């Protein structure tokens, strides 16, 4: 049905009060928007102490008190006037906004839909002054230096807007989240939040590490990497969570541009892209990041709530954020969160399986076995003799437990393989952060001892990450080494697979595969990447052809490259229930220490975990 036509009216100027109420529809969407605007004003005023008091989720009352500079009595009416502000005075100021607020609309809009009272006092004033938002009357009042804005009965004069509000707890949750966002950005300011007379949160002045830990919790605090990088006018700083701190929802992602919390698709995409190698696609990373840049390079006046921004050079910002976060995630706990892995020691006669070539290491780690190091060569060499710097004094006695090299390997513990005596009695300090292998557990985990205590390693996940990084590096450098097969592997293929192989020879060669059709129903694999030479050639070929067929050759090498390489690495990595010798286990540990992102496998699962001696002492009640 056609709606009835509205009567024709002449154009007329809207009254100021109606204009403010219309503006309030954009600025004051819900109580949390009021909290945000008032908190930003408090911080712009130089406050170091802010108290937020809410009643009934902020609908009944929002009172925010700060100890900032305050407002003089004669300027109080201007503070409630539309488009009146002390923060900008010209177009140049607008293009170089360095404050959180700048439009001068917030207080006027809030006052038009609530009962607002503003009390303020400057440092040189004898007493505070108060202004009523309805009457605009200024009267003397009491109070310390700073400003208190008391907003009561939100939307009392616009009942239609009030009907759209949610429950009290929902509205309070939104308000509390706004306070948390701003408190994260300003650890130099103390914040207190009360609801219905009960204190909910209180944060004292501290540094960003402690503030983020108190707001995001210990799970994030114990699984985060510090980041601080600069390039030209850009600086990115804060913390990125390890994949183990990921969440099922994107509710622990805080990004700030010049101290302003933003939700910018460009920045979110840059961070997400940096995590794609270490995080499962259904999980969301946790992070607290701040991007500082010249205010002239970013436009903050693109959204009424000021939660979106626009960069002058968005591509440069995206690449900077992506590479900075990628470098942070490439750091590993095994190398002290980013310290460059030390070159592996290679004194004469010591640990030949470590000082050997990459090819030798790879041969040791291949699922098919590879060369076995003679048992007499498993000594850790003269540099690890008793005189070398070894385990800290508190762990020295623990090493002696493994000194009995004569104990048989089958003392009721299947798969137990004691290390040589020299290895057990003295461990290097930080040169080998993952220590040295003690045994293999159920063919799945490697047990190793380092200076801190016990290290548990998931050997399949660790080897998968190592192979994956090696494949990426070889493909990036266009240096994929190929292993020709002495006897080509043939298998039955349907017409689509045969056609895919014939049409995408260039892509297959770039990936290190030589797959050719020898009949209308048969494909032959003549060569595979050298890193994958011991994997099942037919399975590898089918996986590659499936991805190439589904996404196309160019997309496989660009957009889907990492997914494909991850699949190939997973097929090739050492499998569970395979018995490894001590040299093989130690070679894997050394490779982990020298590999970026070795803390997680390609799916975001941890590859190793540290159990400190203090944890073991607590477990067995030692010293209690």
């Amino acid at each position: 049905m056609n709606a009835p036509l509205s009567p024709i009216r002449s154009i007329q100027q809207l009254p100021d009060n109606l204009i403010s109420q219309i503006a309030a529809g954009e600025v004051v969407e819900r109580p949390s928007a009021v909290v945000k605007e008032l908190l930003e004003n408090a911080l712009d005023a130089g406050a170091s102490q802010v108290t937020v008091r809410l009643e009934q989720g902020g609908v009944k009352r929002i009172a925010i008190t700060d100890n900032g500079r305050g407002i003089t009595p004669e300027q109080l009416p201007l503070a409630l006037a539309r488009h009146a502000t002390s923060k900008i005075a010209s177009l140049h100021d607008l293009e170089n906004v360095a404050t959180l607020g700048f439009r001068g609309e917030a207080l006027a809009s809030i006052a038009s839909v609530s009962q607002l009272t503003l009390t303020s006092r400057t440092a040189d004033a004898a007493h505070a002054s108060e202004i009523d938002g309805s009457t605009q009357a200024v009267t003397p009042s009491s109070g310390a230096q700073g400003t208190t804005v008391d907003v009561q009965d939100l939307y009392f004069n616009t009942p239609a807007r009030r009907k759209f509000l949610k429950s009290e707890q929902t509205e309070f949750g939104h308000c509390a989240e706004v306070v948390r966002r701003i408190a994260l950005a300003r650890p130099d300011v103390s914040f207190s939040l009360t609801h219905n007379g009960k204190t909910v949160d209180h944060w004292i002045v501290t540094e960003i590490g402690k503030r983020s830990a108190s707001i995001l919790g210990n799970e994030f605090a114990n699984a985060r990497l510090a980041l601080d990088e600069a390039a030209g006018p850009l600086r990115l700083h804060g913390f990125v969570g390890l994949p183990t701190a990921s969440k099922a929802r994107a509710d622990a992602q805080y990004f700030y541009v010049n101290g302003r919390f933003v939700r910018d698709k460009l920045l979110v995409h840059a961070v997400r892209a940096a995590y794609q190698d270490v995080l499962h696609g259904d999980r969301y990373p946790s992070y607290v990041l701040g991007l500082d840049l010249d205010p002239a390079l970013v436009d903050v006046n693109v959204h009424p709530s000021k939660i979106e921004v626009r960069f002058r050079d968005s591509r440069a910002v995206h690449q900077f954020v992506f590479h900075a976060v990628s470098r942070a995630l490439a750091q590993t706990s095994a190398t002290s969160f980013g310290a460059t892995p030390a070159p592996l020691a290679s004194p004469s006669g010591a640990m030949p399986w470590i000082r050997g070539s990459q090819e030798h290491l790879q041969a040791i780690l291949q699922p098919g076995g590879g060369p076995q190091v003679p048992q007499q060569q498993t000594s850790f060499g003269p540099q690890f003799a008793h005189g070398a710097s070894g385990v800290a004094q508190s762990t020295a006695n623990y090493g002696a437990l493994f000194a009995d090299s004569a104990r048989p390997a089958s003392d009721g513990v299947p798969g137990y393989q004691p290390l040589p005596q020299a290895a057990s009695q003295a461990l290097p300090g930080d040169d080998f952060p993952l220590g040295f292998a003690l045994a293999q557990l159920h063919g799945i985990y490697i047990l190793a001892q380092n200076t801190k205590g016990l290290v548990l390693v998931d050997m399949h996940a660790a080897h998968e990450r190592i192979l994956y990084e090696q494949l990426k590096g070889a493909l990036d450098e266009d240096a994929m080494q190929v292993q020709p097969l002495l006897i080509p592997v043939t298998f039955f293929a349907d017409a689509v697979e045969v056609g895919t192989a014939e049409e995408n020879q260039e892509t297959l060669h770039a990936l290190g595969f030589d797959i050719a059709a020898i009949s209308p129903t048969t494909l032959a694999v003549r060569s595979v990447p050298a890193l994958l030479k011991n994997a099942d050639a037919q399975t590898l070929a089918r996986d590659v052809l499936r991805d190439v067929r589904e996404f196309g050759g160019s997309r496989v090498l660009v957009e889907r490259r990492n997914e494909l390489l991850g699949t190939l690495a997973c097929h090739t990595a050492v499998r569970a229930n395979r018995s490894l010798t001590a040299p093989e286990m130690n070679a894997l540990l050394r490779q982990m220490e020298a590999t970026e992102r070795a803390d997680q496998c390609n799916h975001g699962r941890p590859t190793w975990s540290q159990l400190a001696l203090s944890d073991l002492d607590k477990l067995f009640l030692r010293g209690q």
Side-chain angles (χ1 to χ4, degrees):
M1 296 179 61
N2 294 328
L5 296 175
S6 58
I8 298 176
R9 294 179 179 176
S10 58
I11 300 174
Q12 56 184 340
Q13 182 74 42
L14 295 177
D16 284 346
N17 188 53
L18 182 57
I19 292 173
S20 295
Q21 289 179 341
I22 293 173
E26 296 181 341
V27 178
V28 191
E29 180 184 1
R30 62 196 321 162
S32 61
V34 176
V35 174
K36 173 182 178 293
E37 297 291 347
L38 298 184
L39 282 177
E40 289 180 348
N41 282 343
L43 296 178
D44 286 340
S48 61
Q49 210 169 25
V50 179
T51 301
V52 181
R53 299 189 298 276
L54 305 175
E55 293 181 15
Q56 297 181 15
V59 178
K60 179 64 178 175
R61 186 186 186 199
I62 300 172
I64 296 184
T65 302
D66 67 68
N67 64 344
R69 290 185 292 272
I71 306 172
T72 59
E74 60 273 12
Q75 288 201 319
L76 285 176
L78 274 175
L80 300 185
R82 291 175 52 245
H83 304 302
T85 179
S86 62
K87 300 167 186 177
I88 62 170
S90 65
L91 179 60
H92 178 269
D93 294 338
L94 182 62
E95 293 174 346
N96 294 271
V97 173
T99 53
L100 297 175
F102 54 88
R103 294 195 186 112
E105 294 178 297
L107 287 176
S109 298
I110 296 168
S112 69
V113 292
S114 67
Q115 303 286 357
L116 183 145
T117 303
L118 191 154
T119 306
S120 191
R121 179 181 178 181
T122 58
D124 56 353
H127 58 80
S129 299
E130 178 183 295
I131 183 171
D132 187 288
S134 302
T135 65
Q136 300 288 306
V138 179
T139 57
S141 183
S142 61
Q145 178 184 341
T147 302
T148 297
V149 182
D150 196 340
V151 179
Q152 300 191 36
D153 297 323
L154 192 62
Y155 301 129
F156 79 99
N157 55 355
T158 53
R161 291 299 304 273
R162 195 158 187 164
K163 291 179 182 178
F164 284 93
L165 297 179
K166 305 299 182 182
S167 67
E168 176 180 327
Q169 283 303 312
T170 299
E171 295 300 338
F172 169 70
H174 286 287
C175 293
E177 176 63 18
V178 166
V179 178
R180 281 193 291 267
R181 291 174 186 169
I182 294 179
L184 264 175
R186 294 296 302 272
D188 58 323
V189 178
S190 67
F191 292 86
S192 180
L193 172 63
T194 64
H195 185 227
N196 294 334
K198 179 182 178 180
T199 300
V200 178
D201 286 312
H202 180 73
W203 299 291
I204 62 173
V205 174
T206 183
E207 45 90 22
I208 183 61
K210 293 182 179 178
R211 177 66 60 85
S212 61
S214 63
I215 293 179
L216 273 69
N218 290 331
E219 183 181 357
F220 177 78
N222 295 330
R224 67 186 182 187
L225 300 171
L227 186 157
D228 194 341
E229 287 208 23
L234 304 176
R235 178 187 174 223
L236 187 69
H237 55 94
F239 298 97
V240 291
L242 292 170
T244 51
S246 64
K247 310 192 78 174
R249 297 187 302 166
D251 58 356
Q253 300 180 350
Y254 297 87
F255 211 117
Y256 302 86
V257 175
N258 289 342
R260 182 192 310 278
F261 176 81
V262 298
R263 278 202 192 99
D264 185 80
K265 293 180 180 178
L266 176 92
L267 299 175
V268 170
H269 182 273
V271 176
R272 183 75 180 179
Y275 270 92
Q276 73 172 2
D277 258 3
V278 293
L279 194 63
H280 192 277
D282 294 335
R283 303 288 293 179
Y284 293 90
S286 303
Y287 52 83
V288 179
L289 292 172
L291 178 65
D292 296 340
L293 71 165
D294 187 341
L297 300 179
V298 56
D299 184 5
V300 297
N301 190 27
V302 297
H303 192 276
S305 64
K306 296 173 291 192
I307 205 168
E308 297 179 8
V309 295
R310 183 181 296 119
F311 297 100
R312 178 176 294 181
D313 190 345
S314 57
R315 179 176 176 80
V317 171
H318 181 282
Q319 290 300 98
F320 170 69
V321 172
F322 166 73
H323 288 296
V325 176
S326 295
R327 279 190 290 270
L329 294 174
Q331 304 168 8
T332 68
S333 302
T335 52
S336 303
F337 288 153
T340 303
L344 299 177
S346 57
S348 176
M351 300 179 72
W353 57 89
I354 289 179
R355 63 183 173 86
S357 65
Q358 280 290 100
E359 292 77 7
H360 187 74
L361 273 174
Q362 186 59 39
I364 291 178
L365 292 172
Q366 289 299 342
Q372 298 294 319
V373 181
Q375 188 63 34
Q376 64 269 22
Q377 292 185 8
T378 58
S379 169
F380 287 96
Q383 79 276 25
F384 299 144
H386 300 285
S389 60
V391 185
Q393 183 63 35
S394 60
T395 68
N397 295 331
Y398 290 87
L401 295 176
F402 303 97
D404 186 7
S405 59
R407 189 172 70 172
S410 57
D411 286 352
V413 184
Y416 173 78
Q417 299 173 3
L419 286 188
Q421 183 173 356
S424 316
Q425 292 181 342
L427 290 177
D430 295 327
D431 291 338
F432 301 100
L434 293 181
F436 293 93
L438 300 173
Q440 189 178 11
L441 182 64
H442 290 295
I444 301 174
Y445 301 104
I446 294 173
L447 308 184
Q449 173 182 290
N450 65 358
T451 56
K452 297 178 182 178
L454 181 67
V455 174
L456 306 175
V457 178
D458 182 334
M459 66 182 192
H460 172 75
H463 193 205
E464 183 179 348
R465 167 58 71 178
I466 292 169
L467 286 174
Y468 174 61
E469 293 295 332
Q470 290 175 341
L471 287 170
K472 278 201 311 178
L475 195 56
D476 287 341
E477 298 172 7
D478 195 20
M480 185 72 74
Q481 295 186 3
V482 175
Q483 175 64 54
L485 300 182
L486 182 61
I487 301 176
V489 176
T490 60
F491 60 93
F492 173 81
D494 57 32
V496 175
E497 288 178 321
V498 173
T500 302
E502 291 177 340
E503 295 169 5
N504 295 274
Q505 284 295 308
E506 186 176 346
T507 299
L508 294 174
H509 288 160
L511 292 169
F513 288 89
D514 182 0
I515 304 174
I518 59 176
S519 81
T521 59
T522 307
L523 288 176
V525 184
R526 295 171 176 168
S527 65
V528 296
L531 293 169
L532 312 179
K533 62 184 179 182
N534 288 326
D536 186 297
Q538 178 180 336
T539 302
L540 294 179
R542 288 192 183 277
D543 285 338
V544 170
L545 291 175
R546 185 187 62 245
D547 273 23
V548 171
R549 179 177 70 249
E550 184 174 352
F551 302 104
S554 59
R555 286 191 63 192
V556 162
L557 290 178
V558 180
E559 300 175 25
R560 299 285 303 178
R561 184 197 70 159
N562 291 346
E563 289 86 346
L564 174 60
L565 296 183
T567 300
L568 298 180
C570 185
H571 282 311
T572 313
V574 60
R575 296 296 180 182
N577 299 320
R578 181 191 161 195
S579 179
L580 298 181
T581 65
E584 289 175 330
M585 290 188 283
N586 282 314
L588 182 62
L589 297 179
R590 301 293 77 80
Q591 284 275 54
M592 290 176 64
E593 292 166 349
T595 300
E596 293 182 346
R597 305 175 186 86
D599 287 348
Q600 292 82 30
C601 75
N602 312 343
H603 312 295
R605 295 186 295 106
T607 58
W608 68 282
S609 180
Q610 175 81 57
L611 192 60
L613 278 175
S614 58
D615 297 328
L616 293 172
D617 290 341
K618 290 178 183 177
L619 184 63
F620 293 101
L621 304 180
R622 291 181 59 86
Q624 299 184 19

